[in-house]
Amino acid sequence: MSPDALATLPFAQVEIEQRSGESCIANDGLCPGWIVDNLGDYATPLVEHIYLTLFSVVVGFVIAFGLAILAHRRAWTMRPISATTQILYTIPSIAAFFLLQPIVGRGFMAGAIALIAYTLFILFANITTGLQNVPADVKDAARGMGLTDGQLLRQVELPMAIPEILAGLRIAMTTTIGLAALAFFAGAGGLGEPIEQDIFFKSNVVIAGGLCLLLAAISDLILLGVQRFALPWRRAQAT
Amino acid sequence: MTASNASTTDDRQPADERRQQAADLELCEISKLYPGQSDPAIDKLSLKVEAGEICVLVGPSGCGKTTAMRLVNRMIEPTDGDILIDGESIRDRGPAELRRHIGYAIQRTGLFPHLTIADNISTVPRLLGWDKQRIDARVDELLELVSLDADDMRDRYPGQLSGGQQQRVGVARALAADPPLLLMDEPFGADDPINRERLQNEFLRLQGQLRKTIVFVTHDIDEAIKMGDRIAVLKKGGKLAQYASPAELLTNPADKFVEDFVGADRSLKRLALQRVRDIDLWKVAEAREGERSEDVRRKFEDSDLPFAILLDEQRRPLGWLSDEAVRGERVTNDTRSPATPHIDLDDILRDALAELLSNGVQYAPVLDSRGAVSGVLSLEVIGRFLHSAPTESRTGAELVMDDPEPIPGEGDETPENTGK
């Protein structure tokens, strides 16, 4: 798809003015003045990007969590589930964004479904690893004291798997923020859209790309904070 | 046999509570055959454990001792046979419900690393729905019981505790809901020998007060001899080789297998079950400086040694008298050798023997708690004991329980592993 074709796409959010003369803008430079003036135009793609990422990670987490519990309870389901999420993960993202359009239509859902599929592998692998890493003696003691399977899962296995689960969420968030920059191919908007509209204009690319980076950094910091807050026992051990 | 300590603690409890305190346990021809295996892991095992007794399951690895223990709380379901707790079959109770009324402590403690010490200990009370006030009080009581400082420990995490402290918490957690029956699988196994012995002694003293029925699994025959009221020696395939008191096991091993397992030094091991005060010591002629020599010489008739021991005014030993010292009219302080080492009446016979050997002497005076001579222990006396009947021996639990003075420094073990 050529840049010209993209420029005419009807869902374009950021208007980029015609440029002429010897100005910074005309040279596709990094123009502080332009950035300050046009920053507001990136609000909508940014919000779309956040919404798309959160929606995909949350739905992906719910699905991966359910699958992980199933695999934990019924060991024989582990391999097929794991293989499926791996296959989904290997589909090139741009292909997925286009392939989904005939099925669910162009737009948010096409982007979200592809992103959800990508989170499954990371999240499923991390949740099951976390559950598997609970030491056998801890589980034995729990069962020996009369915890039922459900109590064992809720009171011991899941709390002890939180470090791996949060690590998975951090990777999934960062990966999804990056992949969502391509979701405009599916018509789902996001910060990739202004980038693609004028990929040679440094100011434009720096703002949109910078916002992506900033988003990834902030979400990672938040999850890091949650990790520290949620794991007093890990912190106690480290000190 | 003196069980006076035990009976006094029992008497303080009302009769109905006492019945609650410990349960009778009976394994009736219990068998476990794992699918796809030709030989059973447990083969028609029958055992009876009286309420308040420690039954040690011991044997080489693969003998099914842990399997046998895990059958009791239905962690493993038997293929055949039954297990009765206070006469009721465990099959009539749901596994989870059953387990909440059986204490459970395992080798690597299995403490929950994500929960505080208080929350770890209160696991079963929470499952049983106790209210918070009762739980908090119980946690403090238990921490004190296992010699840990409640204020310091309550809010810590297991990872911040030393190995010995973790195992104490493991025992406290198993005792939390005051179960009448406890299962312990090498609960002191992960520790170094010194800590291990301390934990064993502490636990035996605790058991002196609690009088729970305990099934205790170990691979270590010395630990079995020390901890057990009765010892079940298992051999490969879960067959019971012998079920007897420690002394009986050491004196009359049932077969070659038990004899080998107990060890070639089994007669020496009996020494660990006896205190110096419990055996017949040598009599010795006592003399004080200035006493009439004639009087002292008369005492020789009744003495096992051909010379006298010189005492001071408090009857403390000053030395063995030479023949010259009692030759004149009055006893002089002419000693042939110092009367060392000093053996304590409360010393364990094994330690006393080690004392004699390391000092290179055949005999030494035995002193009571005030330091006064009450007899002489000799290698010959010990040899005579080793040939005596086993019924005169006692169990390790009794030894620890009537220990006159607690071992100093217990419980204030330095948490050297804390900073990991």
Side-chain angles (χ1 to χ4, degrees), chain A residues 90-177:
Chain A
T90 56
I91 299 173
S93 56
I94 295 181
F97 289 130
F98 282 109
L99 284 170
L100 282 164
Q101 288 180 36
I103 306 165
V104 297
R106 195 175 164 75
F108 179 81
M109 279 317 287
I113 289 173
L115 292 177
I116 289 166
Y118 288 114
T119 63
L120 291 183
F121 171 64
I122 297 161
L123 291 171
F124 177 79
N126 274 270
I127 298 168
T128 50
T129 304
L131 292 174
Q132 281 166 354
N133 281 353
V134 176
D137 61 304
V138 172
K139 287 191 275 196
D140 184 67
R143 293 208 315 122
M145 285 187 292
L147 273 77
T148 61
D149 284 351
Q151 287 166 333
L152 176 66
L153 184 70
R154 286 190 304 276
Q155 296 179 23
V156 180
E157 291 176 308
L158 282 175
M160 284 186 70
I162 285 176
E164 286 88 349
I165 294 175
L166 281 175
L169 269 176
R170 285 174 61 191
I171 303 171
M173 277 296 283
T174 314
T175 312
T176 308
I177 289 169

Side-chain angles (χ1 to χ4, degrees), chain A residues 135-148 151 155-157 159-160 232-234 236-239, chain B residues 70 73 75 96 99-100 102 104 106 108-114 123-124 126-127 157 159-160 173 418-420:
Chain A
D137 61 304
V138 172
K139 287 191 275 196
D140 184 67
R143 293 208 315 122
M145 285 187 292
L147 273 77
T148 61
Q151 287 166 333
Q155 296 179 23
V156 180
E157 291 176 308
M160 284 186 70
W233 52 285
R234 281 286 177 106
Q237 235 159 346
T239 50
Chain B
R70 292 166 71 87
N73 64 350
M75 291 290 275
R99 289 172 196 155
R100 289 171 194 176
I102 299 178
Y104 192 66
I106 55 175
R108 292 177 58 227
T109 72
L111 293 182
F112 302 141
H114 64 297
T123 303
V124 179
R126 269 184 285 121
L127 291 172
Y157 290 93
Q160 298 170 294
R173 187 172 68 167
T418 301
K420 75 178 162 210

Side-chain angles (χ1 to χ4, degrees), chain B residues 260-280:
Chain B
D260 287 346
F261 187 75
V262 167
D265 61 340
R266 63 190 162 89
S267 47
L268 288 180
K269 285 184 172 130
R270 280 185 62 205
L271 296 177
L273 293 175
Q274 203 77 10
R275 281 188 199 282
V276 173
R277 67 159 72 245
D278 298 319
I279 66 172
D280 289 330

Side-chain angles (χ1 to χ4, degrees), chain B residues 54-106:
Chain B
I54 301 183
C55 164
V56 179
L57 302 176
V58 69
S61 61
C63 71
K65 51 191 187 293
T66 298
T67 308
M69 184 201 84
R70 292 166 71 87
L71 285 164
V72 175
N73 64 350
R74 297 189 66 179
M75 291 290 275
I76 296 175
E77 296 290 350
T79 323
D80 200 18
D82 202 359
I83 293 176
L84 309 177
I85 295 176
D86 275 338
E88 288 168 35
S89 169
I90 59 167
R91 287 171 196 262
D92 298 341
R93 299 165 73 178
E97 194 274 333
L98 175 75
R99 289 172 196 155
R100 289 171 194 176
H101 295 97
I102 299 178
Y104 192 66
I106 55 175

Side-chain angles (χ1 to χ4, degrees), chain B residues 201-264:
Chain B
N201 290 343
E202 268 185 42
F203 185 75
L204 285 173
R205 207 166 293 132
L206 199 61
Q207 165 67 353
Q209 305 165 29
L210 301 175
R211 291 267 124 193
K212 300 288 181 191
T213 307
I214 296 170
V215 176
F216 190 107
V217 170
T218 179
H219 66 274
D220 178 358
I221 183 69
D222 291 313
E223 185 169 58
I225 288 165
K226 178 163 189 179
M227 303 302 287
D229 293 307
R230 300 259 272 162
I231 299 175
V233 183
L234 299 182
K235 52 181 154 190
K236 237 180 171 57
K239 290 190 183 67
L240 184 63
Q242 188 168 7
Y243 187 42
S245 71
E248 172 75 21
L249 196 72
L250 291 171
T251 324
N252 298 316
D255 58 18
K256 186 81 172 62
F257 171 81
V258 177
E259 198 179 328
D260 287 346
F261 187 75
V262 167

Side-chain angles (χ1 to χ4, degrees), chain B residues 176-201:
Chain B
D178 206 16
L181 171 64
L182 252 78
L183 306 180
M184 309 183 90
D185 189 356
E186 309 214 14
F188 314 128
D191 247 294
D192 62 83
I194 294 167
N195 258 327
R196 188 175 183 184
E197 178 154 2
R198 180 187 281 176
L199 284 163
Q200 288 170 343
N201 290 343

